Short mmCIF file of all heavy atoms in Angstrom, two decimals:
data_model
loop_
_atom_site.label_atom_id
_atom_site.label_comp_id
_atom_site.label_asym_id
_atom_site.label_seq_id
_atom_site.Cartn_x
_atom_site.Cartn_y
_atom_site.Cartn_z
N LEU A 9 2.79 -6.54 6.21
CA LEU A 9 1.40 -6.97 6.44
C LEU A 9 0.46 -5.90 5.91
O LEU A 9 0.61 -4.70 6.16
CB LEU A 9 1.15 -7.11 7.95
CG LEU A 9 -0.29 -7.29 8.41
CD1 LEU A 9 -0.84 -8.66 8.00
CD2 LEU A 9 -0.41 -7.13 9.93
N THR A 10 -0.58 -6.37 5.14
CA THR A 10 -1.69 -5.49 4.73
C THR A 10 -2.94 -5.97 5.49
O THR A 10 -3.32 -7.14 5.33
CB THR A 10 -1.94 -5.61 3.22
OG1 THR A 10 -0.74 -5.27 2.52
CG2 THR A 10 -3.06 -4.68 2.78
N VAL A 11 -3.53 -5.08 6.28
CA VAL A 11 -4.77 -5.45 6.98
C VAL A 11 -5.96 -4.98 6.15
O VAL A 11 -6.15 -3.78 5.97
CB VAL A 11 -4.81 -4.81 8.39
CG1 VAL A 11 -6.18 -5.03 9.04
CG2 VAL A 11 -3.70 -5.35 9.27
N ILE A 12 -6.77 -5.93 5.70
CA ILE A 12 -7.96 -5.59 4.90
C ILE A 12 -9.14 -5.33 5.84
O ILE A 12 -9.42 -6.13 6.73
CB ILE A 12 -8.34 -6.76 3.98
CG1 ILE A 12 -7.19 -7.14 3.06
CG2 ILE A 12 -9.57 -6.43 3.15
CD1 ILE A 12 -7.40 -8.48 2.36
N VAL A 13 -9.80 -4.20 5.64
CA VAL A 13 -10.99 -3.86 6.42
C VAL A 13 -12.16 -3.62 5.46
O VAL A 13 -12.23 -2.55 4.83
CB VAL A 13 -10.78 -2.59 7.31
CG1 VAL A 13 -11.98 -2.38 8.24
CG2 VAL A 13 -9.48 -2.67 8.09
N PRO A 14 -13.08 -4.61 5.33
CA PRO A 14 -14.22 -4.40 4.41
C PRO A 14 -15.28 -3.54 5.10
O PRO A 14 -15.53 -3.70 6.30
CB PRO A 14 -14.74 -5.84 4.23
CG PRO A 14 -14.37 -6.55 5.48
CD PRO A 14 -13.10 -5.92 5.98
N LEU A 15 -15.89 -2.63 4.33
CA LEU A 15 -16.91 -1.76 4.94
C LEU A 15 -18.11 -1.62 4.03
O LEU A 15 -17.95 -1.29 2.84
CB LEU A 15 -16.44 -0.34 5.12
CG LEU A 15 -15.35 0.05 6.07
CD1 LEU A 15 -14.06 0.12 5.32
CD2 LEU A 15 -15.68 1.34 6.73
N LEU A 29 -6.93 1.37 14.80
CA LEU A 29 -5.94 0.90 13.82
C LEU A 29 -4.67 1.73 13.86
O LEU A 29 -3.55 1.18 13.73
CB LEU A 29 -6.56 0.88 12.42
CG LEU A 29 -7.71 -0.11 12.26
CD1 LEU A 29 -8.44 0.10 10.93
CD2 LEU A 29 -7.22 -1.57 12.37
N CYS A 41 0.23 -1.94 7.03
CA CYS A 41 -0.64 -0.88 6.53
C CYS A 41 -2.07 -1.38 6.56
O CYS A 41 -2.32 -2.57 6.71
CB CYS A 41 -0.23 -0.46 5.12
SG CYS A 41 -0.54 -1.74 3.85
N ILE A 42 -2.99 -0.44 6.43
CA ILE A 42 -4.42 -0.76 6.43
C ILE A 42 -4.94 -0.54 5.02
O ILE A 42 -4.67 0.49 4.42
CB ILE A 42 -5.17 0.15 7.41
CG1 ILE A 42 -4.54 0.18 8.81
CG2 ILE A 42 -6.67 -0.25 7.46
CD1 ILE A 42 -4.51 -1.14 9.54
N LEU A 43 -5.71 -1.50 4.51
CA LEU A 43 -6.37 -1.33 3.21
C LEU A 43 -7.88 -1.46 3.43
O LEU A 43 -8.41 -2.57 3.59
CB LEU A 43 -5.87 -2.39 2.24
CG LEU A 43 -6.46 -2.31 0.83
CD1 LEU A 43 -6.18 -0.97 0.16
CD2 LEU A 43 -5.96 -3.45 -0.06
N PHE A 44 -8.55 -0.31 3.47
CA PHE A 44 -10.02 -0.33 3.60
C PHE A 44 -10.61 -0.66 2.25
O PHE A 44 -10.14 -0.15 1.21
CB PHE A 44 -10.53 1.06 4.02
CG PHE A 44 -10.04 1.50 5.38
CD1 PHE A 44 -8.99 2.40 5.51
CD2 PHE A 44 -10.62 1.00 6.54
CE1 PHE A 44 -8.55 2.81 6.75
CE2 PHE A 44 -10.19 1.42 7.80
CZ PHE A 44 -9.14 2.31 7.91
N VAL A 45 -11.63 -1.51 2.26
CA VAL A 45 -12.34 -1.78 1.00
C VAL A 45 -13.79 -1.34 1.19
O VAL A 45 -14.56 -1.96 1.92
CB VAL A 45 -12.28 -3.27 0.61
CG1 VAL A 45 -12.99 -3.49 -0.75
CG2 VAL A 45 -10.85 -3.78 0.53
N ILE A 70 -9.62 1.24 -1.22
CA ILE A 70 -10.16 1.07 -2.55
C ILE A 70 -11.67 1.11 -2.39
O ILE A 70 -12.18 0.77 -1.30
CB ILE A 70 -9.71 -0.23 -3.26
CG1 ILE A 70 -9.93 -1.46 -2.41
CG2 ILE A 70 -8.30 -0.16 -3.69
CD1 ILE A 70 -9.36 -2.73 -3.04
N LEU A 78 -19.31 -9.20 0.98
CA LEU A 78 -18.07 -9.33 1.77
C LEU A 78 -16.99 -10.15 1.08
O LEU A 78 -15.83 -9.79 1.12
CB LEU A 78 -18.44 -9.93 3.15
CG LEU A 78 -17.32 -10.23 4.12
CD1 LEU A 78 -16.40 -9.04 4.35
CD2 LEU A 78 -17.88 -10.75 5.45
N ALA A 81 -15.25 -8.02 -1.41
CA ALA A 81 -14.38 -7.03 -0.75
C ALA A 81 -13.05 -7.70 -0.33
O ALA A 81 -11.97 -7.14 -0.52
CB ALA A 81 -15.09 -6.39 0.42
N LEU A 82 -13.17 -8.90 0.22
CA LEU A 82 -11.95 -9.61 0.67
C LEU A 82 -11.11 -10.03 -0.55
O LEU A 82 -9.89 -9.93 -0.52
CB LEU A 82 -12.30 -10.80 1.55
CG LEU A 82 -12.95 -10.42 2.88
CD1 LEU A 82 -13.37 -11.64 3.66
CD2 LEU A 82 -11.99 -9.58 3.71
N LYS A 83 -11.80 -10.46 -1.60
CA LYS A 83 -11.01 -10.83 -2.81
C LYS A 83 -10.25 -9.62 -3.35
O LYS A 83 -9.08 -9.75 -3.71
CB LYS A 83 -11.95 -11.39 -3.89
CG LYS A 83 -11.21 -11.63 -5.20
CD LYS A 83 -12.01 -12.46 -6.18
CE LYS A 83 -11.45 -12.44 -7.59
NZ LYS A 83 -10.00 -12.52 -7.73
N ALA A 84 -10.91 -8.48 -3.38
CA ALA A 84 -10.21 -7.28 -3.85
C ALA A 84 -8.98 -7.00 -2.97
O ALA A 84 -7.92 -6.64 -3.49
CB ALA A 84 -11.16 -6.10 -3.86
N GLY A 85 -9.16 -7.17 -1.67
CA GLY A 85 -8.04 -6.98 -0.76
C GLY A 85 -6.90 -7.94 -1.04
O GLY A 85 -5.73 -7.53 -1.12
N PHE A 86 -7.22 -9.21 -1.26
CA PHE A 86 -6.20 -10.20 -1.59
C PHE A 86 -5.53 -9.83 -2.92
O PHE A 86 -4.32 -9.94 -3.08
CB PHE A 86 -6.78 -11.62 -1.70
CG PHE A 86 -7.36 -12.19 -0.44
CD1 PHE A 86 -8.35 -13.17 -0.48
CD2 PHE A 86 -6.91 -11.76 0.83
CE1 PHE A 86 -8.90 -13.70 0.68
CE2 PHE A 86 -7.45 -12.31 1.98
CZ PHE A 86 -8.45 -13.28 1.92
N ASP A 87 -6.35 -9.44 -3.89
CA ASP A 87 -5.80 -9.09 -5.22
C ASP A 87 -4.81 -7.91 -5.12
O ASP A 87 -3.78 -7.88 -5.80
CB ASP A 87 -6.92 -8.69 -6.18
CG ASP A 87 -7.82 -9.87 -6.58
OD1 ASP A 87 -7.40 -11.02 -6.38
OD2 ASP A 87 -8.93 -9.61 -7.11
N TYR A 88 -5.14 -6.94 -4.30
CA TYR A 88 -4.30 -5.72 -4.21
C TYR A 88 -3.10 -5.90 -3.31
O TYR A 88 -2.11 -5.20 -3.45
CB TYR A 88 -5.14 -4.53 -3.75
CG TYR A 88 -5.86 -3.81 -4.88
CD1 TYR A 88 -6.95 -4.37 -5.52
CD2 TYR A 88 -5.39 -2.59 -5.33
CE1 TYR A 88 -7.58 -3.74 -6.57
CE2 TYR A 88 -6.02 -1.93 -6.40
CZ TYR A 88 -7.13 -2.52 -7.01
OH TYR A 88 -7.72 -1.89 -8.03
N ALA A 89 -3.18 -6.81 -2.32
CA ALA A 89 -2.10 -6.90 -1.33
C ALA A 89 -0.82 -7.42 -1.96
O ALA A 89 -0.82 -8.47 -2.63
CB ALA A 89 -2.53 -7.83 -0.19
N TYR A 93 2.33 -10.83 3.98
CA TYR A 93 1.21 -11.28 4.79
C TYR A 93 0.02 -10.38 4.58
O TYR A 93 0.17 -9.19 4.30
CB TYR A 93 1.57 -11.23 6.28
CG TYR A 93 2.71 -12.12 6.73
CD1 TYR A 93 3.52 -11.71 7.79
CD2 TYR A 93 2.98 -13.36 6.14
CE1 TYR A 93 4.58 -12.52 8.24
CE2 TYR A 93 4.05 -14.15 6.56
CZ TYR A 93 4.83 -13.73 7.60
OH TYR A 93 5.87 -14.51 8.04
N VAL A 94 -1.17 -10.97 4.75
CA VAL A 94 -2.38 -10.18 4.65
C VAL A 94 -3.30 -10.59 5.82
O VAL A 94 -3.30 -11.75 6.23
CB VAL A 94 -3.02 -10.38 3.25
CG1 VAL A 94 -3.45 -11.80 3.01
CG2 VAL A 94 -4.20 -9.47 3.04
N GLY A 95 -3.98 -9.58 6.39
CA GLY A 95 -4.87 -9.86 7.51
C GLY A 95 -6.27 -9.38 7.20
O GLY A 95 -6.48 -8.63 6.22
N TYR A 96 -7.21 -9.78 8.03
CA TYR A 96 -8.62 -9.37 7.83
C TYR A 96 -9.26 -9.09 9.16
O TYR A 96 -9.15 -9.89 10.12
CB TYR A 96 -9.36 -10.49 7.08
CG TYR A 96 -10.84 -10.57 7.33
CD1 TYR A 96 -11.66 -9.46 7.20
CD2 TYR A 96 -11.44 -11.79 7.70
CE1 TYR A 96 -13.02 -9.54 7.46
CE2 TYR A 96 -12.81 -11.89 7.92
CZ TYR A 96 -13.60 -10.74 7.82
OH TYR A 96 -14.93 -10.83 8.07
N ILE A 97 -9.92 -7.93 9.26
CA ILE A 97 -10.73 -7.62 10.44
C ILE A 97 -11.97 -6.85 9.98
O ILE A 97 -11.92 -6.12 8.99
CB ILE A 97 -9.91 -6.76 11.46
CG1 ILE A 97 -10.66 -6.60 12.80
CG2 ILE A 97 -9.51 -5.40 10.89
CD1 ILE A 97 -9.81 -6.04 13.94
N ASP A 98 -13.11 -7.07 10.67
CA ASP A 98 -14.34 -6.36 10.31
C ASP A 98 -14.31 -4.92 10.80
O ASP A 98 -13.69 -4.60 11.82
CB ASP A 98 -15.56 -7.08 10.90
CG ASP A 98 -15.98 -8.29 10.06
OD1 ASP A 98 -15.51 -8.43 8.91
OD2 ASP A 98 -16.81 -9.06 10.58
N ALA A 99 -15.11 -4.09 10.10
CA ALA A 99 -15.12 -2.66 10.42
C ALA A 99 -15.85 -2.36 11.72
O ALA A 99 -15.69 -1.28 12.28
CB ALA A 99 -15.81 -1.90 9.28
N PHE A 108 -3.92 -9.14 16.30
CA PHE A 108 -3.15 -9.59 15.11
C PHE A 108 -1.76 -10.04 15.57
O PHE A 108 -1.20 -10.98 14.99
CB PHE A 108 -3.00 -8.45 14.10
CG PHE A 108 -4.18 -8.30 13.17
CD1 PHE A 108 -4.82 -7.08 13.05
CD2 PHE A 108 -4.63 -9.37 12.41
CE1 PHE A 108 -5.91 -6.93 12.20
CE2 PHE A 108 -5.71 -9.24 11.55
CZ PHE A 108 -6.35 -8.02 11.45
N PRO A 159 -13.94 -12.81 12.56
CA PRO A 159 -13.34 -11.76 11.73
C PRO A 159 -11.99 -11.31 12.26
O PRO A 159 -11.75 -10.13 12.45
CB PRO A 159 -14.38 -10.62 11.79
CG PRO A 159 -15.07 -10.84 13.09
CD PRO A 159 -14.99 -12.29 13.46
N LYS A 161 -8.19 -12.79 11.09
CA LYS A 161 -7.46 -13.86 10.42
C LYS A 161 -6.22 -13.25 9.79
O LYS A 161 -6.23 -12.09 9.39
CB LYS A 161 -8.30 -14.48 9.29
CG LYS A 161 -9.53 -15.23 9.75
CD LYS A 161 -10.23 -15.87 8.55
CE LYS A 161 -11.30 -16.85 8.93
NZ LYS A 161 -12.53 -16.26 9.45
N PHE A 163 -3.02 -14.39 6.85
CA PHE A 163 -2.68 -15.37 5.80
C PHE A 163 -1.30 -15.05 5.24
O PHE A 163 -0.91 -13.88 5.22
CB PHE A 163 -3.63 -15.23 4.60
CG PHE A 163 -5.09 -15.14 4.92
CD1 PHE A 163 -5.68 -13.95 5.35
CD2 PHE A 163 -5.91 -16.26 4.81
CE1 PHE A 163 -7.03 -13.88 5.63
CE2 PHE A 163 -7.27 -16.19 5.10
CZ PHE A 163 -7.84 -14.99 5.50
N ALA A 168 -3.46 -16.83 0.14
CA ALA A 168 -4.77 -16.17 0.01
C ALA A 168 -5.11 -15.89 -1.47
O ALA A 168 -6.26 -16.00 -1.88
CB ALA A 168 -4.79 -14.89 0.82
#
Side-chain angles (χ1 to χ4, degrees):
L9 169 70
T10 303
V11 172
I12 303 168
V13 186
L15 294 96
L29 295 170
C41 67
I42 309 297
L43 181 60
F44 297 101
V45 183
I70 51 185
L78 175 54
L82 294 176
K83 173 168 167 40
F86 296 155
D87 291 344
Y88 273 73
Y93 298 148
V94 63
Y96 153 51
I97 189 167
D98 279 347
F108 276 125
K161 294 184 168 74
F163 313 80

